Amino acid sequence: MRRTPARRPTMKDIARRAGVSESAVSFALNGRPGVSDATRERVRQVAEQLGWQPSTAARALSGEGAATVGLVLARPARTLGVESFFLQLVSGVQEVLADRRLGLLFQMAEDIDAECAVYRRWWAERRVDGLLVVDPRADDPRPALLDELGLPAVVIGAPDGDGGTHGAISTLWADDTGAMASIVGHLHALGHRRVTHVAGLPELAHTRRRMACLRTEAERRGLPDVTSVTTDYSDAQGAEATRRLLSGPQPPTAIVYDNDVMAVAGLAVAAEHGVSVPGELSIVAWDDSVLCRSTHPALTALTRDTPAFGRQAAHLLTALLAGEPPTRVQAPTPRLTTRESTSRA
Amino acid sequence: MRRTPARRPTMKDIARRAGVSESAVSFALNGRPGVSDATRERVRQVAEQLGWQPSTAARALSGEGAATVGLVLARPARTLGVESFFLQLVSGVQEVLADRRLGLLFQMAEDIDAECAVYRRWWAERRVDGLLVVDPRADDPRPALLDELGLPAVVIGAPDGDGGTHGAISTLWADDTGAMASIVGHLHALGHRRVTHVAGLPELAHTRRRMACLRTEAERRGLPDVTSVTTDYSDAQGAEATRRLLSGPQPPTAIVYDNDVMAVAGLAVAAEHGVSVPGELSIVAWDDSVLCRSTHPALTALTRDTPAFGRQAAHLLTALLAGEPPTRVQAPTPRLTTRESTSRA
């Protein structure tokens, strides 16, 4: 029993209802001169009554842009859907975009090359006005590509040593160094001397910054047994790294994990090995989440307001789209929330 | 040091390089008659060399559609970013869409009314060719709305008692009833008589189906102490429900949770209360995930291939967009993966 689909209201419908010519409607709705204020107001009222909206395609062809921003997430498929970070980030982004009637085109990609290919295609098809770029990395090819394509973008998390030399790219960076220093300080104060950092993907800029800070802090405090190992962020590699560490000749007394999922996996491995947490092993998770609060013992973790981070990134992008110059903004530093998984060594 | 942005190749560029007229290029690329096969082939080759792509907006205005499908996720903000289900679903959807160069417009909404408003706006702005609709519910307003708007859609998870009376709506349904029956069978065989189902949002169709099946199975097997309580799917409400149950006069010997996050939260509450799992309490989670494998003890859970579910939904939608008639397809029934959290009562 299919009904005839509703017909989208056209400028002709508005002209008929408002009792004016079609060109008057066009002038009024496009904000061009040639009609009186009274007519303009009347046309706008009728358009609203009829639920008229400019077609996104028509707007795009008239040079107003696609009213859409893009976000590509390139992570190994096996690690997707694991962290809560991205959906929380996107929920914040969308609050801001929805207010401005901007759509979000979302794409997953297998790797950085596939991500660059998506940007080229979106650009060629004129699908997006700007981009939110995540997971900046060492030798990142994306800023130069976006500059070449002339696509405004906000990079979330700063690439190493990049001071904003690219055309229309703003940066929202987080202080990973300060955050890692607060973790090392906490563990050092509790008497821990053998600390291992189970890090994420080695090619990501923030992984490198965290590892560099760990080394610096360890040297500064005279701790020789402090190291990092890298993983793909998955629970499987987090568990495997923990198994290796706990079976070694000198197991660490504290482990810092680069995300919540690996920390939870590490906690389960400790239980398997009969290693009590925090009695024999302290655990800290980057990226606090519902997971960190749900385990027993609950995990000490770095807490940040991820939806607010997303909102801030979206605001930077809408400013760029409005023609404001690129900028570089620091997000609030995550704070350490101390729970039951850390205690004296 | 901003470089001049790259210029998108135009039909004029192709004509110059191929040594033919612009109208020949237009005929060739739009698959219309009026040029020889040799010219058509040459034009296509040059277009590919130059990286030419039709503008999405131009395609949309020429009646070819927006080459975009939409997905709205309406869940309370506090529960977003918690379950791994959605990102996994989307990863499967995108595999299929990317092959066909279809974009995915993704939006979060606070509730079902906001979701319907998004559909109306997307329709008015001609942003999408079709939709993937999730979380079908009792008295769902969406099928009638999409029918009115003439937007093809695939509903993921069948609405109650809806046999496909709507225009261009296909359904991919999962057998929640069969899945719940397998859980009750497993627990009953282990000797459990007092079972509580900590369910999800009461307005969702699959929540109601699971609750109805639980009642039917309990009656059939003569189990008087089997009930459901509803929640918002959050860890907080999962933990609260568990606390109430374990503090009651007759605590259940088994709890079935409607998602992974609530099951993990329930496990932590049991540990707090000194209730051993599975010694004194068995736990089953719907929607197996990395979480269920990461806890100690690891959780018995219903396993399904969520990315495959997403691929299947996307295939149904691309079939609708290609003009095929709506259909109703059953996804494979999830199977119970037995781990350490269930044992004899």
Side-chain angles (χ1 to χ4, degrees):
Chain A
M1 285 212 320
R2 181 152 191 202
R3 286 180 287 162
T4 311
R7 200 169 60 81
R8 291 180 182 82
T10 62
M11 289 205 186
K12 201 171 194 166
D13 299 323
I14 300 170
R16 196 177 306 129
R17 173 89 68 104
V20 299
S21 72
E22 272 185 68
S23 52
V25 171
S26 172
F27 287 162
L29 293 178
N30 290 310
R32 276 149 52 194
V35 288
S36 71
D37 286 352
T39 302
R40 193 182 302 278
E41 186 48 36
R42 169 144 182 73
V43 166
R44 286 202 178 142
Q45 275 174 11
V46 170
E48 199 182 318
Q49 284 161 16
L50 293 177
W52 179 86
Q53 298 282 352
S55 133
T56 304
R59 286 178 46 164
L61 284 188
S62 70
E64 286 181 73
T68 303
V69 306
L71 171 66
V72 179
L73 185 53
R75 285 276 180 104
R78 68 186 173 287
T79 68
L80 273 177
V82 163
E83 295 182 334
S84 57
F85 177 78
F86 285 108
L87 268 186
Q88 287 190 23
L89 183 79
V90 168
S91 78
V93 164
Q94 295 217 324
E95 269 183 57
V96 174
L97 296 185
D99 279 352
R100 285 161 182 73
R101 301 208 157 194
L102 290 167
L104 179 73
L105 204 60
F106 179 58
Q107 174 95 48
M108 292 176 181
E110 256 304 294
D111 54 32
I112 188 90
D113 293 333
E115 179 175 346
C116 288
V118 170
Y119 293 153
R120 286 192 178 276
R121 183 159 56 76
W122 280 354
W123 169 80
E125 295 179 353
R126 297 168 172 77
R127 273 186 181 272
V128 295
D129 302 327
L131 296 167
L132 293 165
V133 175
V134 296
D135 283 345
R137 56 182 69 203
D139 300 319
D140 200 316
R142 295 171 297 176
L145 171 64
L146 300 179
D147 196 25
E148 177 197 333
L149 300 178
L151 275 173
V154 173
V155 176
I156 299 177
D160 279 330
D162 190 295
T165 55
H166 292 287
I169 299 183
S170 287
T171 299
L172 177 61
W173 66 285
D175 183 11
D176 292 288
T177 301
M180 179 57 97
S182 74
I183 295 176
V184 177
H186 172 65
L187 294 175
H188 186 236
L190 289 172
H192 292 277
R193 298 295 174 263
R194 289 198 309 280
V195 177
T196 303
H197 169 214
V198 176
L201 290 165
E203 63 268 29
L204 300 188
H206 68 253
T207 303
R208 295 187 175 209
R209 268 201 304 276
R210 292 177 191 178
M211 289 169 65
C213 172
L214 185 79
R215 275 193 308 275
T216 310
E217 286 291 315
E219 276 169 31
R220 198 168 71 80
R221 296 168 189 272
L223 307 172
D225 288 335
V226 172
T227 52
S228 296
V229 296
T230 61
T231 68
D232 65 357
Y233 282 118
S234 69
D235 68 311
Q237 293 203 4
E240 198 188 298
T242 309
R243 244 173 238 123
R244 256 195 332 267
L245 291 169
L246 296 185
S247 317
Q250 284 263 322
T253 62
I255 305 182
V256 180
Y257 293 89
D258 254 4
N259 71 6
D260 51 351
V261 173
M262 291 198 295
V264 173
L267 181 64
V269 168
E272 263 171 42
H273 284 240
V275 172
S276 87
V277 175
E280 298 162 87
L281 178 69
S282 285
I283 286 182
V284 179
W286 214 283
D287 269 342
D288 193 11
S289 74
V290 63
L291 280 190
C292 300
R293 299 188 297 271
S294 295
T295 54
H296 190 81
L299 300 180
T300 294
L302 273 178
T303 309
R304 59 176 156 183
D305 184 345
T306 306
F309 195 55
R311 285 194 295 274
Q312 207 174 356
H315 278 303
L316 288 179
L317 186 55
T318 56
L320 280 182
L321 296 180
E324 290 177 32
T327 175
R328 191 178 167 85
V329 174
Q330 181 180 352
T333 301
R335 66 179 194 287
L336 194 65
T337 303
T338 311
R339 298 204 183 91
E340 305 150 11
S341 68
T342 44
S343 71
R344 294 207 64 78
Chain B
M1 288 212 319
R2 180 150 190 206
R3 285 180 289 163
T4 312
R7 200 171 60 81
R8 290 180 182 83
T10 63
M11 289 204 186
K12 201 171 195 166
D13 299 324
I14 300 170
R16 196 177 306 129
R17 172 89 68 105
V20 300
S21 71
E22 272 185 66
S23 51
V25 171
S26 171
F27 288 162
L29 293 178
N30 289 311
R32 276 149 53 194
V35 288
S36 70
D37 286 353
T39 302
R40 191 182 304 279
E41 185 50 34
R42 170 144 180 72
V43 165
R44 285 201 179 142
Q45 276 174 10
V46 170
E48 200 182 318
Q49 283 161 16
L50 293 177
W52 179 87
Q53 298 282 353
S55 135
T56 305
R59 286 178 44 166
L61 283 188
S62 72
E64 285 181 74
T68 304
V69 307
L71 172 65
V72 180
L73 185 53
R75 286 275 181 103
R78 69 186 173 287
T79 70
L80 272 179
V82 163
E83 295 182 333
S84 58
F85 177 77
F86 285 107
L87 267 186
Q88 287 191 21
L89 183 79
V90 168
S91 78
V93 164
Q94 295 217 325
E95 271 183 57
V96 175
L97 297 185
D99 279 353
R100 287 162 181 73
R101 301 209 156 191
L102 291 167
L104 180 71
L105 204 59
F106 179 58
Q107 175 95 46
M108 293 177 181
E110 256 305 293
D111 54 32
I112 189 90
D113 294 333
E115 179 175 346
C116 288
V118 170
Y119 292 152
R120 286 192 179 278
R121 184 158 56 77
W122 281 354
W123 168 82
E125 296 180 351
R126 296 169 172 77
R127 273 186 181 270
V128 295
D129 302 327
L131 296 167
L132 292 164
V133 175
V134 296
D135 284 344
R137 55 182 69 203
D139 300 319
D140 200 317
R142 294 170 298 174
L145 171 63
L146 299 180
D147 197 25
E148 176 197 333
L149 300 179
L151 274 175
V154 173
V155 176
I156 299 177
D160 279 330
D162 190 294
T165 55
H166 294 286
I169 299 184
S170 288
T171 300
L172 177 61
W173 66 285
D175 183 11
D176 292 287
T177 301
M180 180 58 96
S182 74
I183 295 176
V184 178
H186 173 65
L187 294 174
H188 186 237
L190 289 172
H192 291 278
R193 299 294 174 265
R194 290 198 307 281
V195 177
T196 303
H197 169 215
V198 176
L201 290 165
E203 62 269 30
L204 300 188
H206 68 254
T207 303
R208 297 189 173 205
R209 269 201 305 277
R210 293 176 190 179
M211 289 168 65
C213 172
L214 185 80
R215 277 194 306 275
T216 310
E217 286 291 316
E219 276 169 28
R220 198 167 72 77
R221 296 168 190 272
L223 307 172
D225 288 335
V226 172
T227 52
S228 295
V229 295
T230 60
T231 67
D232 65 358
Y233 282 117
S234 70
D235 69 312
Q237 292 202 5
E240 197 188 299
T242 309
R243 246 174 237 122
R244 256 195 331 266
L245 292 168
L246 296 184
S247 317
Q250 284 264 321
T253 62
I255 306 182
V256 179
Y257 293 89
D258 254 3
N259 70 6
D260 51 352
V261 174
M262 291 197 295
V264 173
L267 181 64
V269 168
E272 264 171 43
H273 284 241
V275 172
S276 86
V277 176
E280 298 163 87
L281 177 69
S282 285
I283 287 182
V284 179
W286 215 283
D287 270 343
D288 193 12
S289 73
V290 64
L291 280 190
C292 300
R293 299 188 298 272
S294 295
T295 54
H296 191 81
L299 300 180
T300 293
L302 273 179
T303 310
R304 59 176 155 180
D305 184 345
T306 306
F309 195 57
R311 285 194 296 274
Q312 206 173 358
H315 278 302
L316 288 178
L317 185 56
T318 56
L320 279 181
L321 296 180
E324 290 178 31
T327 177
R328 191 177 167 87
V329 173
Q330 181 181 353
T333 302
R335 64 179 196 288
L336 194 65
T337 303
T338 311
R339 297 203 184 90
E340 306 150 10
S341 68
T342 46
S343 70
R344 295 207 63 80

